[in-house]
Amino acid sequence: MKAIAVLTSGGDAPGMNAGIRATVRTALTCGLSVYGVKRGYQGLIENDLVPLLSTDVSNILQHGGTILHSARSEEFRTEEGRLKAAENLEKHKIDGLVVFGGDGSFRGANDLQREHGTRVIGVPSTIDNDIWGSDFTIGFDTAVNTALEAIDKVRDTAAAHDRLFIVEVMGRHAGFIALEVGIGAGAEEILIPETVTDIPEICRKLQRRYKNGRTSSILVVAEGDEEGNAYEIAAKIEACCGMKSRVTVLGHVQRGGSPTASDRLLATKLGYAAVMALLDDAAPCMVGVENGLISRHPLADAWTRKKGLDDLVVKLSSGLE
Ligand code: ADP
């Protein structure tokens, strides 16, 4: 193996830059040359590759986003698109590709490997943390801390005005962010897609707490809760028990910002692990960290297996009254 390429794909996640840096520096240390692919798979199709030296990745690990930019590429979903991508890798004599992304990006990587034999390694990077095979994904810890800081501020105003606030956090299919943020922020209720949301029961609990002297409350809801988004839940609570609330949707603020120490460390470990997997001639796989150890799993596990929530955390989410 002489040359590898690295790209970031799908939704960006804080820590991707730290991962790029680790990939580049590990590869260079091992005597490989490295190309950065701009704008994910779309850049690969358009031959938008640049050689990366150690200095090109200086002073980036503390920044959110990705210096390589990310994109969604419809063309890469087609065989013709992937053929162009494979031809461009061939042109540069690139023998291995490191893909930072989520399960969609890994599906694309898997297709590229199946059709063209490209050696690919996936690095789980999404703030949602919903990828099986790694205890945490790059960006999750930062997103949780960003949301936590915001909710602490909402708590101040909720308390000052004796209000019920409903705060929506990201998580279309998974409640990992909502659970950790909700517990960290001491939310009265946490509503997530994986558990049944019982609006009348939530109303009963809120009213009981108010009877016991509580004057304000915070509900954290994952955007993909089956009862709807924060506005819909606010309307349902009002219809059920007459309680009015204020809604705050945190949105994309959770995707940006300087990565936490944990995300920087995780990304650095996984960038290193991806290059090691390529040098070991490992079968196409995703690298992860499980129980503190680096693991490798087939890419397909990322979309065929579902990561479970921590039972204790779920139990705690039903509220400490
Ligand atoms: P994420 O990697 O964050 O899940 P997406 O689902 O948007 O993000 O996927 C990123 C890119 O990966 C897509 O724009 C597309 O180019 C590629 N991709 C996603 N799913 C597939 C698929 N089933 N087959 C081929 N390529 C795919």
Side-chain angles (χ1 to χ4, degrees):
M1 174 157 301
K2 294 215 169 73
I4 67 163
V6 54
L7 62 79
T8 49
S9 169
D12 66 316
M16 277 180 160
N17 280 328
I20 294 167
R21 173 179 175 270
T23 304
V24 170
R25 294 205 168 152
T26 304
L28 292 173
T29 305
C30 295
L32 303 173
S33 48
V34 191
Y35 289 86
V37 183
K38 296 283 185 71
R39 295 174 293 113
Y41 293 129
Q42 194 56 35
L44 199 52
I45 289 170
E46 294 171 14
N47 201 21
D48 195 359
L49 280 73
V50 287
L52 292 175
L53 301 176
S54 187
T55 47
D56 294 319
V57 292
S58 293
N59 288 326
I60 65 166
L61 97 163
Q62 70 272 37
H63 297 301
T66 156
I67 58 160
L68 293 175
H69 297 247
S70 186
R72 296 204 155 90
S73 169
E74 282 311 308
E75 202 179 346
F76 195 76
R77 292 175 183 270
T78 66
E79 281 186 22
E80 298 75 37
R82 292 191 292 272
L83 176 62
K84 285 186 203 165
E87 284 170 352
N88 287 329
L89 288 171
E90 179 73 39
K91 252 184 231 163
H92 293 277
K93 301 198 179 344
I94 291 165
D95 336 274
L97 177 65
V98 176
V99 174
F100 286 81
D103 62 323
S105 302
F106 296 169
R107 281 175 200 252
N110 205 51
D111 287 350
L112 189 67
Q113 189 280 327
R114 200 184 55 241
E115 291 161 11
H116 302 284
T118 313
R119 279 190 278 181
V120 283
I121 306 294
V123 184
S125 315
T126 161
I127 64 165
D128 289 340
N129 198 32
D130 56 348
I131 296 187
W132 188 91
S134 187
D135 293 343
F136 295 102
T137 56
I138 294 170
F140 173 66
D141 188 63
T142 306
V144 166
N145 280 287
T146 301
L148 188 64
E149 206 182 316
I151 297 176
D152 283 348
K153 290 175 180 159
V154 170
R155 173 74 79 183
D156 290 345
T157 181
H161 287 272
D162 298 337
R163 278 191 177 134
L164 165 62
F165 264 86
I166 302 182
V167 183
E168 182 181 300
V169 298
M170 280 186 162
R172 255 176 303 162
H173 308 290
F176 291 98
I177 295 181
L179 267 186
E180 295 218 356
V181 169
I183 288 173
E188 276 67 25
E189 295 288 336
I190 304 170
L191 284 53
I192 54 174
E194 294 90 338
T195 59
V196 175
T197 297
D198 182 344
I199 300 282
E201 176 60 12
I202 289 171
C203 287
R204 275 193 291 278
K205 280 179 162 176
L206 286 171
Q207 286 173 322
R208 195 166 62 235
R209 290 190 191 108
Y210 282 100
K211 251 191 213 148
N212 291 339
R214 203 73 66 86
T215 56
S216 66
S217 297
I218 295 212
L219 268 56
V220 170
V221 53
E223 60 184 332
D225 188 78
E226 79 278 10
E227 285 291 340
N229 63 29
Y231 287 101
E232 289 162 330
I233 285 167
K236 287 182 181 178
I237 289 177
E238 188 172 353
C240 179
C241 63
M243 287 182 81
K244 289 190 186 304
S245 56
R246 292 284 196 278
V247 169
T248 300
V249 177
L250 296 185
H252 281 79
V253 72
Q254 296 157 93
R255 285 250 291 262
S258 179
T260 58
S262 293
D263 270 330
R264 295 182 199 194
L265 184 62
L266 177 65
T268 302
K269 283 183 183 173
L270 293 182
Y272 164 86
V275 176
M276 289 301 132
L278 284 174
L279 285 172
D280 285 352
D281 216 0
C285 63
M286 181 196 92
V287 290
V289 172
E290 292 173 286
N291 297 319
L293 299 174
I294 297 291
S295 59
R296 294 175 187 171
H297 291 285
L299 286 166
D301 283 352
W303 64 91
T304 56
R305 306 185 74 157
K306 189 166 165 53
K307 187 188 217 171
L309 298 168
D310 180 326
D311 289 341
L312 175 60
V313 178
V314 174
K315 191 171 161 204
L316 293 170
S317 74
S318 63
L320 300 174
E321 292 196 41

